[in-house]
Every structure is written in structure tokens, then in C-alpha cells.
Tab-separated table of all heavy atoms in Angstrom:
chain	number	residue	atom	x	y	z
A	911	PHE	N	12.020	-54.657	18.182
A	911	PHE	CA	13.090	-55.202	19.030
A	911	PHE	C	12.725	-56.637	19.368
A	911	PHE	O	11.650	-56.886	19.900
A	911	PHE	CB	13.196	-54.344	20.304
A	911	PHE	CG	14.349	-54.682	21.192
A	911	PHE	CD1	15.640	-54.317	20.852
A	911	PHE	CD2	14.144	-55.340	22.396
A	911	PHE	CE1	16.708	-54.615	21.676
A	911	PHE	CE2	15.205	-55.637	23.240
A	911	PHE	CZ	16.494	-55.272	22.872
A	912	LYS	N	13.601	-57.589	19.015
A	912	LYS	CA	13.255	-59.005	19.172
A	912	LYS	C	14.424	-59.806	19.709
A	912	LYS	O	15.548	-59.683	19.244
A	912	LYS	CB	12.813	-59.579	17.833
A	912	LYS	CG	12.442	-61.055	17.898
A	912	LYS	CD	11.850	-61.526	16.595
A	912	LYS	CE	11.498	-63.003	16.619
A	912	LYS	NZ	10.650	-63.411	17.716
A	913	LYS	N	14.119	-60.668	20.684
A	913	LYS	CA	15.104	-61.614	21.194
A	913	LYS	C	15.277	-62.736	20.179
A	913	LYS	O	14.304	-63.263	19.646
A	913	LYS	CB	14.644	-62.192	22.534
A	913	LYS	CG	15.580	-63.235	23.112
A	913	LYS	CD	15.030	-63.787	24.421
A	913	LYS	CE	15.899	-64.891	24.967
A	913	LYS	NZ	15.367	-65.422	26.240
A	914	ILE	N	16.521	-63.094	19.921
A	914	ILE	CA	16.826	-64.215	19.039
A	914	ILE	C	17.315	-65.348	19.936
A	914	ILE	O	18.375	-65.254	20.549
A	914	ILE	CB	17.906	-63.847	17.992
A	914	ILE	CG1	17.497	-62.582	17.219
A	914	ILE	CG2	18.170	-65.010	17.054
A	914	ILE	CD1	16.207	-62.700	16.436
A	915	SER	N	16.528	-66.402	20.024
A	915	SER	CA	16.853	-67.476	20.966
A	915	SER	C	17.878	-68.440	20.375
A	915	SER	O	17.997	-68.579	19.157
A	915	SER	CB	15.585	-68.243	21.365
A	915	SER	OG	15.116	-69.000	20.262
A	916	LYS	N	18.591	-69.103	21.260
A	916	LYS	CA	19.581	-70.107	20.840
A	916	LYS	C	18.870	-71.330	20.261
A	916	LYS	O	19.334	-71.920	19.294
A	916	LYS	CB	20.446	-70.530	22.038
A	916	LYS	CG	21.265	-69.405	22.632
A	916	LYS	CD	22.006	-69.880	23.877
A	916	LYS	CE	22.776	-68.754	24.539
A	916	LYS	NZ	21.939	-67.876	25.337
A	917	ILE	N	17.747	-71.704	20.850
A	917	ILE	CA	17.032	-72.919	20.455
A	917	ILE	C	16.340	-72.752	19.101
A	917	ILE	O	16.351	-73.652	18.273
A	917	ILE	CB	16.004	-73.318	21.541
A	917	ILE	CG1	16.730	-73.635	22.855
A	917	ILE	CG2	15.156	-74.493	21.098
A	917	ILE	CD1	15.825	-73.743	24.053
A	918	ASN	N	15.748	-71.580	18.869
A	918	ASN	CA	14.983	-71.353	17.637
A	918	ASN	C	15.629	-70.255	16.797
A	918	ASN	O	14.962	-69.365	16.293
A	918	ASN	CB	13.537	-70.994	17.979
A	918	ASN	CG	12.649	-71.003	16.759
A	918	ASN	OD1	12.851	-71.757	15.812
A	918	ASN	ND2	11.647	-70.130	16.764
A	919	LEU	N	16.949	-70.312	16.656
A	919	LEU	CA	17.705	-69.260	15.964
A	919	LEU	C	17.173	-69.008	14.556
A	919	LEU	O	16.830	-67.877	14.202
A	919	LEU	CB	19.192	-69.645	15.923
A	919	LEU	CG	20.112	-68.782	15.072
A	919	LEU	CD1	20.124	-67.348	15.571
A	919	LEU	CD2	21.527	-69.348	15.071
A	920	ARG	N	17.085	-70.046	13.759
A	920	ARG	CA	16.668	-69.890	12.361
A	920	ARG	C	15.229	-69.364	12.269
A	920	ARG	O	14.940	-68.463	11.478
A	920	ARG	CB	16.785	-71.234	11.641
A	920	ARG	CG	16.699	-71.140	10.134
A	920	ARG	CD	16.852	-72.526	9.516
A	920	ARG	NE	18.169	-73.068	9.736
A	920	ARG	CZ	19.160	-73.003	8.850
A	920	ARG	NH1	18.961	-72.401	7.700
A	920	ARG	NH2	20.327	-73.528	9.119
A	921	GLY	N	14.327	-69.893	13.092
A	921	GLY	CA	12.934	-69.440	13.083
A	921	GLY	C	12.795	-67.991	13.505
A	921	GLY	O	12.039	-67.215	12.904
A	922	ASP	N	13.532	-67.602	14.542
A	922	ASP	CA	13.478	-66.206	15.014
A	922	ASP	C	14.026	-65.245	13.959
A	922	ASP	O	13.483	-64.157	13.747
A	922	ASP	CB	14.259	-66.048	16.323
A	922	ASP	CG	13.510	-66.617	17.519
A	922	ASP	OD1	12.302	-66.881	17.402
A	922	ASP	OD2	14.144	-66.797	18.576
A	923	LEU	N	15.128	-65.642	13.304
A	923	LEU	CA	15.693	-64.799	12.236
A	923	LEU	C	14.724	-64.685	11.063
A	923	LEU	O	14.526	-63.600	10.506
A	923	LEU	CB	17.030	-65.370	11.751
A	923	LEU	CG	18.238	-65.166	12.662
A	923	LEU	CD1	19.451	-65.906	12.118
A	923	LEU	CD2	18.558	-63.688	12.838
A	924	TRP	N	14.109	-65.817	10.697
A	924	TRP	CA	13.144	-65.816	9.595
A	924	TRP	C	11.993	-64.849	9.897
A	924	TRP	O	11.593	-64.055	9.044
A	924	TRP	CB	12.614	-67.233	9.366
A	924	TRP	CG	11.715	-67.344	8.180
A	924	TRP	CD1	12.088	-67.553	6.891
A	924	TRP	CD2	10.294	-67.230	8.184
A	924	TRP	NE1	10.974	-67.580	6.078
A	924	TRP	CE2	9.857	-67.384	6.843
A	924	TRP	CE3	9.338	-67.012	9.181
A	924	TRP	CZ2	8.518	-67.321	6.481
A	924	TRP	CZ3	8.003	-66.953	8.821
A	924	TRP	CH2	7.602	-67.111	7.489
A	925	ASN	N	11.455	-64.903	11.126
A	925	ASN	CA	10.363	-64.003	11.517
A	925	ASN	C	10.804	-62.549	11.538
A	925	ASN	O	10.048	-61.653	11.166
A	925	ASN	CB	9.808	-64.398	12.890
A	925	ASN	CG	8.897	-65.606	12.812
A	925	ASN	OD1	8.155	-65.756	11.855
A	925	ASN	ND2	8.976	-66.483	13.801
A	926	PHE	N	12.032	-62.308	11.994
A	926	PHE	CA	12.531	-60.925	12.080
A	926	PHE	C	12.686	-60.313	10.684
A	926	PHE	O	12.362	-59.151	10.477
A	926	PHE	CB	13.866	-60.895	12.830
A	926	PHE	CG	14.400	-59.506	13.050
A	926	PHE	CD1	13.921	-58.712	14.084
A	926	PHE	CD2	15.378	-58.986	12.216
A	926	PHE	CE1	14.408	-57.425	14.288
A	926	PHE	CE2	15.868	-57.694	12.408
A	926	PHE	CZ	15.384	-56.916	13.449
A	927	PHE	N	13.201	-61.105	9.739
A	927	PHE	CA	13.455	-60.593	8.385
A	927	PHE	C	12.312	-60.897	7.411
A	927	PHE	O	12.468	-60.723	6.201
A	927	PHE	CB	14.769	-61.180	7.847
A	927	PHE	CG	15.996	-60.580	8.472
A	927	PHE	CD1	16.699	-61.274	9.448
A	927	PHE	CD2	16.451	-59.324	8.096
A	927	PHE	CE1	17.835	-60.725	10.022
A	927	PHE	CE2	17.576	-58.773	8.661
A	927	PHE	CZ	18.272	-59.471	9.637
A	928	LYS	N	11.173	-61.323	7.922
A	928	LYS	CA	10.011	-61.641	7.080
A	928	LYS	C	9.687	-60.433	6.200
A	928	LYS	O	9.626	-59.302	6.678
A	928	LYS	CB	8.817	-61.968	7.986
A	928	LYS	CG	7.752	-62.787	7.336
A	928	LYS	CD	6.734	-63.200	8.385
A	928	LYS	CE	5.694	-64.099	7.786
A	928	LYS	NZ	4.748	-64.560	8.795
A	929	GLY	N	9.496	-60.689	4.914
A	929	GLY	CA	9.238	-59.595	3.975
A	929	GLY	C	10.467	-59.247	3.159
A	929	GLY	O	10.369	-58.646	2.092
A	930	ASP	N	11.649	-59.604	3.656
A	930	ASP	CA	12.902	-59.414	2.921
A	930	ASP	C	13.267	-60.771	2.306
A	930	ASP	O	13.978	-61.576	2.904
A	930	ASP	CB	13.998	-58.926	3.895
A	930	ASP	CG	15.312	-58.616	3.197
A	930	ASP	OD1	15.562	-59.138	2.087
A	930	ASP	OD2	16.119	-57.873	3.776
A	931	ASP	N	12.720	-61.014	1.086
A	931	ASP	CA	12.845	-62.340	0.461
A	931	ASP	C	14.291	-62.805	0.321
A	931	ASP	O	14.591	-63.978	0.547
A	931	ASP	CB	12.165	-62.342	-0.914
A	931	ASP	CG	10.661	-62.134	-0.810
A	931	ASP	OD1	10.112	-62.380	0.288
A	931	ASP	OD2	10.034	-61.717	-1.800
A	932	GLU	N	15.167	-61.892	-0.039
A	932	GLU	CA	16.580	-62.249	-0.229
A	932	GLU	C	17.211	-62.734	1.080
A	932	GLU	O	17.916	-63.745	1.110
A	932	GLU	CB	17.351	-61.028	-0.753
A	932	GLU	CG	18.805	-61.310	-1.071
A	932	GLU	CD	19.554	-60.041	-1.479
A	932	GLU	OE1	18.936	-59.136	-2.078
A	932	GLU	OE2	20.755	-59.968	-1.189
A	933	GLN	N	16.909	-62.025	2.162
A	933	GLN	CA	17.489	-62.392	3.453
A	933	GLN	C	16.873	-63.685	3.995
A	933	GLN	O	17.581	-64.522	4.561
A	933	GLN	CB	17.295	-61.247	4.470
A	933	GLN	CG	18.167	-61.333	5.688
A	933	GLN	CD	19.653	-61.208	5.380
A	933	GLN	OE1	20.060	-60.801	4.301
A	933	GLN	NE2	20.481	-61.578	6.339
A	934	VAL	N	15.582	-63.861	3.813
A	934	VAL	CA	14.909	-65.092	4.250
A	934	VAL	C	15.492	-66.296	3.518
A	934	VAL	O	15.745	-67.344	4.114
A	934	VAL	CB	13.378	-64.994	4.024
A	934	VAL	CG1	12.716	-66.353	4.198
A	934	VAL	CG2	12.776	-63.990	4.999
A	935	LYS	N	15.742	-66.121	2.215
A	935	LYS	CA	16.347	-67.194	1.416
A	935	LYS	C	17.737	-67.536	1.951
A	935	LYS	O	18.111	-68.706	2.067
A	935	LYS	CB	16.431	-66.752	-0.044
A	935	LYS	CG	16.882	-67.832	-0.989
A	935	LYS	CD	16.886	-67.316	-2.426
A	935	LYS	CE	17.433	-68.389	-3.360
A	935	LYS	NZ	17.512	-67.907	-4.762
A	936	LYS	N	18.498	-66.518	2.306
A	936	LYS	CA	19.848	-66.723	2.848
A	936	LYS	C	19.785	-67.465	4.186
A	936	LYS	O	20.594	-68.353	4.459
A	936	LYS	CB	20.546	-65.373	3.018
A	936	LYS	CG	22.003	-65.484	3.418
A	936	LYS	CD	22.664	-64.119	3.458
A	936	LYS	CE	24.121	-64.247	3.863
A	936	LYS	NZ	24.774	-62.928	3.946
A	937	ILE	N	18.819	-67.089	5.019
A	937	ILE	CA	18.658	-67.736	6.334
A	937	ILE	C	18.321	-69.221	6.150
A	937	ILE	O	18.859	-70.074	6.848
A	937	ILE	CB	17.558	-67.022	7.164
A	937	ILE	CG1	18.034	-65.635	7.580
A	937	ILE	CG2	17.176	-67.841	8.402
A	937	ILE	CD1	16.937	-64.698	8.022
A	938	LYS	N	17.452	-69.507	5.189
A	938	LYS	CA	17.048	-70.895	4.945
A	938	LYS	C	18.195	-71.748	4.394
A	938	LYS	O	18.290	-72.932	4.683
A	938	LYS	CB	15.860	-70.938	3.978
A	938	LYS	CG	14.558	-70.502	4.608
A	938	LYS	CD	13.424	-70.600	3.597
A	938	LYS	CE	12.098	-70.233	4.230
A	938	LYS	NZ	10.978	-70.281	3.275
A	939	SER	N	19.065	-71.122	3.604
A	939	SER	CA	20.117	-71.889	2.932
A	939	SER	C	21.456	-71.889	3.664
A	939	SER	O	22.367	-72.618	3.294
A	939	SER	CB	20.328	-71.340	1.513
A	939	SER	OG	20.789	-69.999	1.578
């Protein structure tokens, strides 16, 4: 269970989905 902050949205999402390469790629792009 993780809070996704407004300030660090992309970083928090990247950490949450770490290990799911496809989703991390989508978050970055």
C-alpha cells in the first residue's frame, strides 16, 4: 500500500511498478 504524491507522481509510480518493465516504460514515456 503506497501513497502516490502529487509532487513526485512519476517517481512514486515507477517505484510502485518496479519489476514490471512494460509498465515502467509506459510511465517514463
Side-chain angles (χ1 to χ4, degrees):
F911 187 75
K912 180 173 179 53
K913 177 182 176 180
I914 306 299
S915 70
K916 297 176 183 79
I917 298 167
N918 191 31
L919 171 61
R920 194 179 294 263
D922 285 346
L923 285 174
W924 185 86
N925 282 323
F926 184 80
F927 286 103
K928 202 172 184 177
D930 184 338
D931 295 339
E932 184 185 328
Q933 197 64 14
V934 168
K935 187 178 176 183
K936 187 175 180 182
I937 291 163
K938 286 181 177 178
S939 63

